[in-house]
Amino acid sequence: MTPRIAVIGSNNMDLVTYVNRVPEAGETIEAPSFEIGFGGKGANQAVAAGRLGASVLMLSKVGDDSFGVDQLRNFEANGIDIRHVGRVPGMSSGVAPIFVEPNGENRIVIVKGANAELSPADIDAAAEDLKTCRLILLQLETSLDVVYHAVEFGRRHGIETLLNPAPAAADLDLARVLHATFLVPNETELALLTGMTVTDEASCEAAARRLIEGGVRCVVVTMGARGALLIEAGNPAKVIRPHAVEPVDTTGAGDAFIGSFAHFYVTTGEVESSLQLAARYAAQSTLKRGTQKSYPTALEFSSF
Ligand code: RIB
């Protein structure tokens, strides 16, 4: 049986407006199109892994609105175990207004809504199920206490954890996440985490090595169209080459990278080759509009 992956994280309804350009302050402009889709960094990573065939356990919260009902259905449609996804009375579900420009780049605002209610007690309530998982994925769209508790839970029970410190949070206490097995920041997040200047591969590596010295086993710095950099103790840094594509919409590509990496990694136990496959999966996801809508199934990925 494939090892299980747990995702402790957010779900959002993505409200995506495709614009010709972003408006200036005080300006009203017309945009060509709009789409609603499932998103949220936690849910995205869970769905990417699920579409590839992974067994995924989700810990999350939805509001008591129609978006919450839709989110639960979407998790189920992607084969995700939702026994630990709760509904929060009197709260809205998480939403994310997103603007996508013609070159595929995006700007995102998030409203946490019910995601903010996920708590360390929810992790304790799911402890027996979490102990059956090989890897726990974490991001920063829930409270930081949830992230600290999950990293500590993983350390105590010998379960590997991967923290994607996104969106960047200035108040993240680095000392409390250094027991994570994997840290997967982008360059901005890496600079914020370490307080070091990150401008190129050499400075990325120097900052990542600081995290490794602090206890993290493996740091993967995502560099957008330039690929990713893998840094592990005792090994030279390795560049994970990007796949050259003409992106239509890059929203959620980072989550596609992490969710698919989780699947390949728990299946093979290999870090570098799993990152190479994940880079290919993420590139494929930029060729279609939408967040989860653009995530390929195992069959679609095999023919890419
Ligand atoms: O990483 C992309 C995601 O960020 C979107 O789905 C949006 O919901 C925000 O969480």
Side-chain angles (χ1 to χ4, degrees):
M1 204 177 99
T2 326
R4 290 202 103 187
I5 298 164
V7 180
I8 303 178
S10 62
N11 65 88
N12 292 331
M13 201 55 91
D14 286 354
L15 312 172
V16 191
T17 306
Y18 293 90
V19 294
N20 291 325
R21 64 175 178 84
V22 284
E24 303 292 335
E27 186 188 22
T28 302
I29 60 167
E30 192 180 321
S33 60
F34 170 81
E35 283 179 27
I36 293 188
F38 296 102
K41 293 185 192 304
N44 294 346
Q45 294 174 17
V47 166
R51 293 233 171 117
L52 286 166
S55 166
V56 184
L57 172 72
M58 185 81 203
L59 269 68
S60 196
K61 294 280 188 200
V62 298
D64 68 357
D65 47 16
S66 63
F67 285 162
V69 177
D70 295 341
Q71 289 287 359
L72 293 173
R73 286 201 189 117
N74 179 57
F75 281 132
E76 283 187 316
N78 284 286
I80 292 165
D81 181 343
I82 56 164
R83 285 174 300 132
H84 298 289
V85 180
R87 292 195 80 180
V88 185
M91 285 214 78
S92 72
S93 294
V95 292
I98 300 176
F99 293 98
V100 179
E101 293 179 77
N103 65 1
E105 289 205 8
N106 60 62
R107 285 156 206 260
I108 306 179
V109 177
I110 61 161
V111 180
K112 277 186 179 165
N115 291 306
E117 298 299 305
L118 193 68
S119 74
D122 294 309
I123 296 177
D124 294 339
E128 292 313 308
D129 286 317
L130 285 170
K131 285 182 204 163
T132 68
C133 295
R134 165 82 189 277
L135 177 66
I136 297 175
L137 302 187
L138 303 159
Q139 319 74 29
L140 299 184
E141 286 185 340
T142 57
S143 82
L144 292 178
D145 283 342
V146 165
V147 173
Y148 302 145
H149 198 68
V151 170
E152 176 54 21
F153 182 92
R155 188 196 64 77
R156 205 164 355 110
H157 297 288
I159 302 164
E160 294 187 344
T161 47
L162 181 157
L163 172 61
N164 169 216
D171 52 344
L172 178 73
D173 182 350
L174 180 62
R176 298 185 70 182
V177 297
L178 288 172
H179 287 301
T181 317
F182 297 94
L183 266 184
V184 187
N186 64 21
E187 292 158 282
T188 313
E189 292 150 4
L190 178 63
L192 190 66
L193 275 177
T194 57
M196 293 169 71
T197 304
V198 174
T199 49
D200 53 14
E201 268 173 36
S203 53
C204 263
E205 179 175 353
R209 294 249 176 244
R210 182 74 62 82
L211 298 173
I212 301 273
E213 283 156 21
V216 179
R217 199 178 84 197
C218 179
V219 178
V220 179
V221 187
T222 55
M223 304 184 298
R226 283 157 42 234
L229 198 63
L230 163 64
I231 299 105
E232 293 174 293
N235 286 332
K238 289 173 191 147
V239 176
I240 308 298
R241 298 265 161 236
H243 290 261
V245 288
E246 288 284 318
V248 173
D249 183 352
T250 58
T251 313
D255 300 326
F257 178 75
I258 291 170
S260 63
F261 166 72
H263 166 69
F264 298 126
Y265 173 67
V266 300
T267 312
T268 64
E270 285 281 321
V271 177
E272 190 178 346
S273 60
S274 297
L275 287 171
Q276 281 159 351
L277 286 169
R280 187 141 68 86
Y281 187 88
Q284 191 179 2
S285 80
T286 68
L287 299 177
K288 277 194 194 164
R289 278 185 169 200
T291 312
Q292 293 176 24
K293 279 181 199 165
S294 68
Y295 292 175
T297 60
L299 189 64
E300 289 162 342
F301 180 60
S302 66
S303 59
F304 178 54

